């Protein structure tokens, strides 16, 4: 099962990807998490990526594509994966398709979690991310039972720099320009499925599970 999650920043891709990964026993591969791990470890790549991320811009394809596609060749991905945050541009999508074609494989589904822009700012300003393990919460819709700390690892929860309202607006316009065209791209391949992402997260998940089990 090879799935790509589509949707605006804050639509709930990561939340759903984690639920799918847990239920179907395939890894959740998040390009944003890969970049944040590099930033945390102080790598050269992390330093370069952070400059773009802090401005709400996409990290250039040259720094992104090989990194993520290489991750898909790891042993844990042999039965599939949930890709979250990649591809984000048409060139990224084409490179992924070519890499899969070379090994005789293909994506099974592109799942678009559809949430209008009006809901996004509330989602993002309330998002809290764990500095330790990357788990995400929402102060209203999915609060941590441990308050300011992570339920999983106990580390501190923070508002990501790029989740501040100024940057969110920029990320939304970048999304509409560069990422939304992927919806038509995957529709053209016949693998696009859309779900209403404004529902409660368990209902969104039920809709996705129904697609995967159809
Ligand atoms: P969100 O889950 O809110 O959509 P992500 O964690 O996926 O955010 O991404 C955070 C930032 O990391 C993006 O705004 C962008 O700067 C960078 N990034 C993540 N994935 C990609 C990608 N595939 N291409 C370019 N930049 C990316
Ligand atoms: P993305 O990966 O698309 O950027 P996230 O999964 O991180 O989005 O979700 C963004 C924020 O919205 C998080 O704080 C998350 O807890 C919350 N959230 C996710 N899905 C829902 C939902 N269906 N209803 C309300 N809040 C949600
Ligand atoms: Zn944690």
């Amino acid at each position: 099962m090879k799935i790509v999650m589509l949707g605006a920043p804050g639509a709930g891709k990561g939340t759903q990807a984690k639920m799918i990964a847990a239920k179907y026993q395939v890894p959740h591969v998040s390009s944003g998490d890969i970049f944040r791990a590099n930033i945390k470890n102080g790598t050269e790549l992390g330093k370069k990526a952070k400059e773009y991320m802090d401005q709400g811009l996409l990290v250039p394809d040259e720094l992104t594509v090989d990194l993520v596609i290489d991750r898909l060749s790891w042993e844990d991905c042999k039965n599939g994966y949930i890709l979250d945050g990649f591809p984000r541009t048409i060139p990224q999508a084409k490179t992924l398709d070519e890499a899969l074609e070379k090994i005789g494989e293909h994506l099974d589904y592109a799942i678009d979690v559809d949430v209008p822009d009006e809901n996004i700012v509330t989602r993002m300003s309330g998002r809290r991310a764990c500095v330790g393990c990357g788990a995400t919460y929402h102060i209203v819709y999915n609060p941590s039972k441990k308050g300011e700390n992570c339920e999983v690892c106990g580390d501190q929860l923070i508002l990501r720099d790029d989740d501040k309202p100024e940057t969110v607006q920029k990320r939304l316009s970048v999304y509409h320009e560069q990422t939304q065209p992927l919806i038509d791209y995957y529709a053209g391949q016949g693998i696009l499925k859309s779900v209403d992402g404004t529902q409660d997260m368990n209902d969104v998940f039920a809709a996705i599970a129904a697609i995967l089990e159809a």
Side-chain angles (χ1 to χ4, degrees), residues 9-134:
K13 301 179 298 295
T15 301
Q16 296 302 325
K18 287 188 182 102
M19 293 166 89
I20 302 169
K23 178 160 180 183
Y24 299 96
Q25 296 294 304
V26 281
H28 167 212
V29 177
S30 155
S31 46
D33 285 352
I34 295 175
F35 285 132
R36 281 184 290 276
N38 274 276
I39 293 173
K40 194 174 161 190
N41 296 329
T43 69
E44 269 315 302
L45 171 76
K47 280 178 202 148
K48 285 187 197 152
K50 188 175 190 319
E51 287 176 31
Y52 296 93
M53 292 166 75
D54 283 350
Q55 297 179 66
L57 300 172
L58 294 185
V59 178
D61 287 349
E62 308 84 81
L63 297 179
T64 306
V65 172
D66 292 347
L67 180 75
V68 181
I69 291 182
D70 174 72
R71 172 68 186 84
L72 303 179
S73 67
W74 293 16
E75 179 66 15
D76 64 341
C77 287
K78 69 176 193 308
N79 295 324
Y81 40 79
I82 320 292
L83 261 174
D84 162 21
F86 182 92
R88 250 183 167 92
T89 64
I90 295 280
Q92 288 182 8
K94 288 188 169 156
T95 312
L96 174 62
D97 279 345
E98 285 158 16
L100 288 174
E101 220 167 276
K102 260 188 214 155
I103 51 173
E105 294 181 1
H106 61 87
L107 293 171
D108 297 299
Y109 297 103
I111 299 178
D112 179 38
V113 182
D114 187 23
V115 174
D117 287 10
E118 304 86 86
N119 305 27
I120 293 293
V121 180
T122 334
R123 290 266 179 108
M124 307 285 256
S125 59
R127 171 157 65 183
R128 293 294 178 273
C130 173
V131 293
C133 73

Side-chain angles (χ1 to χ4, degrees), residues 129-137 149-157:
C130 173
V131 293
C133 73
T136 48
Y137 301 87
N149 294 88
C150 178
E151 283 173 19
V152 183
C153 75
D155 221 326
Q156 196 198 350
L157 303 183

Side-chain angles (χ1 to χ4, degrees), residues 119-180:
N119 305 27
I120 293 293
V121 180
T122 334
R123 290 266 179 108
M124 307 285 256
S125 59
R127 171 157 65 183
R128 293 294 178 273
C130 173
V131 293
C133 73
T136 48
Y137 301 87
H138 191 283
I139 51 173
V140 178
Y141 306 122
N142 184 27
S144 167
K145 293 186 184 73
K146 294 191 177 166
E148 304 283 292
N149 294 88
C150 178
E151 283 173 19
V152 183
C153 75
D155 221 326
Q156 196 198 350
L157 303 183
I158 56 151
L159 174 68
R160 269 164 50 182
D161 281 337
D162 61 345
D163 280 350
K164 297 186 175 141
E166 321 78 90
T167 318
V168 169
Q169 287 303 338
K170 180 69 199 167
R171 289 166 68 196
L172 270 177
S173 66
V174 166
Y175 166 75
H176 288 299
E177 249 169 63
Q178 305 196 54
T179 307
Q180 209 172 16

